[in-house]
């Protein structure tokens, strides 16, 4: 499908039915798979043949959907995980071990920040966080001899900063390590990080790819161009024999195109089991089939709402890279010329009290922790996810008391603006 436009790949990528086969991707709802002989199954355990023996590692439904996302991103191999958080953990842990170091943008989803700074630190993997606006010199200074990866988000959740992918890729490659980019918010419809130098892309498919708040999931896609063997001393897990798989050296046996995902599947998924269910993969595929149609509408609604909020007297500031006044407008024009996503954040002049009134008065915008849904959802961190913090602590965390994050869905933009206007009038 690589010769077709992205929209065609959204609809038909990953699976082509044969004569008399199901038109829709089949749900293979089975934990195990039968073989005629032990020798046949043994070839799978030796990674000498492709196939399925237990759905904790791989499942045909999941692989078809992963293949579609791989086509959309322009990669060579991909896999699904149980959540976006699992995808980010696997992508990093696949090349990091105790004693290693990660360079990461400081402007990333709070759960991922905690994963890297707290949980992985307990595993002996340390990290240095740098501003997404860091100069090349500042970025270069963050690296150590034991650095194994660089991580960032194309559009950060919820800060909405836009990553300068080329700058971060250049720094990563100068130090012989890959750049891993979480591309959840723009999706491959609005940004393809591989075209700007990224090596691994992750997704929380729970968001726009699913698009309907129906199924948790994640994905990891490999560009297939990073030369692991050229930096073999940095990546022993890929470039030295894996005794748990009969001494296979992944980078030698599967090459640049397949080593990373093969190891991630056969080793990490085997041991951690964070597999996406076939049912969820089926639901995800239904979302992917309309992704190219939905994303422009999300962007259209977000742009209209951002412009309305920017001109409203009760709004102190608006964060949305589609506004010419936004700090990230120029970099967004480079990486996101068709728009970024449907999420807008803004602050109210009346502080915590004003934010509380606004949230109470919204009718179309549901109060949810979710984002990137067909339905508009809204959150004031100070009164929900971060309610244990005082105003000073909230400011230090980058989520001041007056901050509202709204994820614009697929409703009519005039109705959304009217709903927001009414809530602002009540303040």
């Amino acid at each position: 499908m690589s010769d077709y436009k992205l929209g065609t790949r959204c609809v038909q990528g990953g699976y082509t039915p044969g004569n008399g086969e199901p038109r829709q991707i089949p749900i293979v709802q089975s934990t195990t798979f039968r073989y005629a002989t032990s020798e046949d199954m043994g070839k799978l355990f030796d990674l000498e043949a492709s196939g399925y023996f237990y759905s904790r590692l791989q499942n045909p439904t999941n692989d078809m959907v992963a293949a579609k996302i791989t086509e959309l991103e322009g990669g060579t191999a991909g896999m699904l995980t149980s959540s976006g958080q699992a995808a980010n953990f696997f992508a990093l842990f696949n090349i990091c071990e105790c004693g290693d170091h990660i360079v990461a943008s400081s402007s990333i989803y709070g759960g991922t920040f905690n994963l890297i700074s707290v949980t992985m630190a307990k595993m002996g993997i340390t990290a240095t966080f740098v501003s997404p606006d860091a100069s090349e010199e500042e970025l270069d200074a963050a690296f150590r001899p034991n650095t194994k990866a660089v991580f960032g988000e194309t559009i950060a959740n919820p800060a909405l900063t836009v990553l300068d992918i080329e700058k971060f890729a250049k720094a990563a490659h100068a130090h012989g390590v890959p750049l891993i980019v979480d591309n959840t918010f723009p999706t491959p419809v609005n940004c393809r990080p591989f075209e700007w130098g990224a090596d691994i892309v992750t997704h929380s498919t729970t968001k726009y790819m699913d698009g309907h708040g129906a199924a948790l999931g994640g994905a990891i896609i490999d560009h297939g161009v990073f030369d692991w063997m050229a930096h073999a001393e940095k990546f022993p897990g890929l470039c030295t024999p894996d005794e748990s798989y009969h001494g296979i050296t992944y980078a030698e046996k599967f090459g640049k195109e397949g080593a990373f995902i093969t190891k991630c599947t056969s080793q990490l998924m085997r041991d951690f089991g964070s597999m996406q269910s076939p049912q969820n993969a089926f639901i995800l595929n239904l979302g992917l089939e309309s992704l190219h149609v939905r994303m422009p509408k999300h962007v259209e609604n977000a742009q209209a709402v951002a412009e309305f909020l920017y001109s409203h007297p009760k709004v102190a500031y608006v964060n949305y890279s589609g506004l010419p006044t936004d700090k990230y407008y120029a970099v967004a024009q480079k990486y996101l010329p068709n728009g970024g996503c449907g999420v807008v954040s803004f602050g109210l002049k009346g502080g915590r009290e004003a934010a509380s009134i606004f949230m109470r008065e919204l009718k179309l915008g549901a109060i949810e922790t979710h984002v990137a849904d067909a339905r508009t959802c809204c959150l004031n961190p100070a009164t929900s996810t971060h309610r244990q913090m005082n105003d000073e602590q909230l400011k230090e965390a980058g989520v001041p008391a007056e901050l509202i994050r709204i994820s614009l869905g697929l409703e009519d933009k005039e109705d959304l603006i009217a709903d927001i206007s009414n809530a602002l009038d009540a303040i």
Side-chain angles (χ1 to χ4, degrees):
M1 297 291 291
S2 60
D3 294 334
Y4 291 97
K5 300 292 185 181
L6 188 134
T8 303
R9 280 178 269 165
C10 281
V11 178
Q12 295 203 27
Y15 170 67
T16 302
N19 188 40
E21 292 184 342
R23 185 65 190 89
Q24 178 57 276
I25 285 178
I27 303 173
V28 182
Q29 192 62 46
S30 180
T31 59
T32 55
F33 301 82
R34 178 183 179 274
Y35 285 87
T37 69
S38 295
E39 288 73 22
D40 289 339
M41 181 174 283
K43 292 177 182 178
L44 301 177
F45 280 90
D46 288 343
L47 301 181
E48 295 292 342
S50 59
Y52 305 93
F53 55 85
Y54 198 57
S55 279
R56 190 180 78 232
L57 280 84
Q58 287 180 286
N59 175 280
T61 306
N62 292 31
D63 281 357
M64 294 172 196
V65 180
K68 174 178 286 191
I69 300 173
T70 301
E71 290 180 13
L72 294 177
E73 285 288 7
T76 59
M79 63 187 289
L80 300 186
T81 62
S82 58
S83 68
Q85 192 76 316
N88 284 333
F89 172 62
F90 275 24
L92 289 165
F93 198 60
N94 201 36
I95 50 176
C96 296
E97 57 187 50
C98 183
D100 288 342
H101 175 256
I102 296 165
V103 173
S105 169
S106 59
S107 186
I108 55 177
Y109 168 57
T112 309
F113 187 95
N114 191 78
L115 167 69
I116 296 171
S117 65
V118 178
T119 303
M120 295 187 74
K122 293 177 181 178
M123 300 175 177
I125 301 168
T126 58
T128 298
F129 292 92
V130 297
S131 168
D133 309 322
S135 67
E136 291 184 4
E137 292 74 21
E138 291 170 331
L139 189 52
D140 184 70
F143 286 82
R144 301 176 185 173
N146 60 336
T147 300
K148 299 300 175 67
V150 178
F151 180 87
E153 293 179 4
T154 315
I155 302 176
N157 176 18
L160 302 182
T161 56
V162 180
L163 189 72
D164 188 337
I165 301 171
E166 279 194 316
K167 180 177 71 176
F168 274 71
K170 179 182 177 182
H173 298 158
H175 290 269
V177 302
L179 171 62
I180 301 172
V181 174
D182 184 329
N183 197 36
T184 295
F185 267 10
T187 80
V189 171
N190 286 339
C191 184
R192 286 156 57 95
F194 292 154
E195 296 176 358
W196 302 102
D199 301 290
I200 309 292
V201 161
T202 62
H203 287 278
S204 170
T205 63
T206 314
K207 309 303 190 297
Y208 288 117
M209 285 187 167
D210 169 282
H212 302 88
L216 289 171
I220 308 172
I221 310 299
D222 183 11
H223 191 194
V225 300
F226 189 86
D227 193 344
W228 305 105
M229 290 302 292
H231 310 282
E233 75 286 354
K234 287 182 173 290
F235 306 106
L238 286 164
C239 302
T240 60
D242 179 3
E243 297 307 325
S244 71
Y245 265 106
H246 314 290
I248 284 175
T249 300
Y250 296 99
E252 289 181 352
K253 186 173 181 61
F254 300 101
K256 292 183 291 185
E257 297 79 10
F260 186 89
I261 293 297
T262 301
K263 176 180 180 293
C264 205
T265 300
S266 59
Q267 192 182 88
L268 298 191
M269 193 62 80
R270 174 196 65 192
D271 294 344
F272 289 100
S274 298
M275 170 57 72
Q276 187 171 146
S277 77
Q279 289 279 350
N280 281 18
F282 178 85
I283 293 170
L284 166 59
N285 186 61
L286 295 179
L288 289 170
E289 289 177 351
S290 63
L291 182 63
H292 62 299
V293 179
R294 291 185 286 107
M295 287 307 296
K297 180 63 175 177
H298 283 295
V299 170
E300 177 189 339
N301 283 352
Q303 185 71 32
V305 167
E307 291 173 359
F308 168 78
L309 290 168
Y310 184 77
S311 63
H312 200 284
K314 293 182 181 179
V315 176
Y317 56 85
V318 181
N319 299 321
Y320 189 70
S321 63
L323 295 175
T325 54
D326 190 83
K327 179 179 181 180
Y328 295 96
Y329 180 77
V331 70
Q333 291 301 296
K334 174 179 178 179
Y335 296 113
L336 308 162
N338 297 320
C341 64
V343 182
V344 177
S345 66
F346 61 98
L348 295 171
K349 291 180 179 179
R352 181 187 288 266
E353 183 179 356
S356 180
I357 294 170
F358 177 85
M359 296 295 292
R360 185 187 68 208
E361 296 297 324
L362 276 181
K363 299 297 186 292
L364 284 177
I367 299 174
E368 301 177 25
T369 57
H370 195 44
V371 288
D373 197 314
R375 295 162 291 269
T376 292
C377 42
C378 197
L379 194 70
N380 170 227
T383 56
S384 55
T385 56
H386 293 65
R387 68 180 296 117
Q388 74 278 12
M389 297 182 177
N390 59 39
D391 284 8
E392 187 60 36
Q393 290 171 326
L394 287 166
K395 187 175 181 180
E396 290 176 2
V399 285
E402 75 278 1
L403 182 75
I404 303 289
R405 182 191 70 187
I406 187 165
S407 173
L408 287 312
L410 300 178
E411 303 91 346
D412 190 284
K413 62 185 175 184
E414 283 77 15
D415 289 335
L416 292 172
I417 290 173
D419 187 40
I420 292 168
S421 180
N422 289 336
L424 288 170
D425 289 343
I427 298 173

